Amino acid sequence: MRIDILTLFPDMFTGVFGNSILKRAVDKQLLELHTHNIRDWTTDKHHKADDYPFGGGAGMVMMIEPIARCIEELQSERTYDAIYLMAPDGTPFNQHKANQMSMLNNIMLLCGHYKGVDERVRELFVTEDISIGDYVLSGGEIAAMAITDALARIIPGVINDGTSALSDSFQDDLLSAPVYTRPADFRGHRVPDVLLSGNDKLIAEWKMEQQLQRTQARRPDLLNK
Ligand code: ADE
């Protein structure tokens, strides 16, 4: 899979993309990540990428021209399955969406900033707007990082333990069971006996019960789906 990220702040991505699972996915050549500075596609001497909104109002609007040039240059090099705009008013991102998106070969993530992007970017280029939650971030970069991370970890081969990504919270609309490691007794707080029993069947039953209890207590909306 290849992900191209269009942003005004490419430096924000270096730490996140250079560590942990994302770094591993890239090193294993299971994922290609490319960031593009939208400012590189401006043509004026001040590299202006935003302007005042027509009709007035607070905040600046990201201009269509540099974004269009950047998108079109990338499209001239390969075919893209989808162009996603990071926006608080977009489709809510969740595990199902991550699973769907991870099947695609080439995608672009466009990071909005300021008051938003010129609406014609949506009309002419964007396949779908995506939101990572009902709150407003100062830009789409953190959303693009979250989405990239969620996609990378479910690409087959990225996580060594093939079953691990499948048993994540949300993967079956249930939250995960609690997990424990050594010591079995920390200041009198003991790991549940069943986990030390060696009885795989009992352990599996206990985990399922914990998942159901946890989901009922914290996210009953998931059980009603
Ligand atoms: N940009 C600003 N807020 C956002 C959000 N919640 N999700 C995606 N992109 C955003």
Side-chain angles (χ1 to χ4, degrees), residues 98-117:
N99 294 347
Q100 274 174 10
M101 288 169 71
S102 75
M103 311 277 195
L104 303 175
N105 288 322
N106 299 320
I107 63 170
M108 289 187 214
L109 305 181
L110 171 57
C111 303
H113 241 270
Y114 312 120
K115 204 63 204 158
V117 303

Side-chain angles (χ1 to χ4, degrees), residues 85-90 110 112-113 130-144 147:
L85 172 65
M86 307 296 103
D89 52 357
L110 171 57
H113 241 270
I130 303 222
S131 163
I132 61 162
D134 289 343
Y135 41 81
V136 181
L137 300 165
S138 55
E141 282 74 16
I142 289 171
I147 290 171

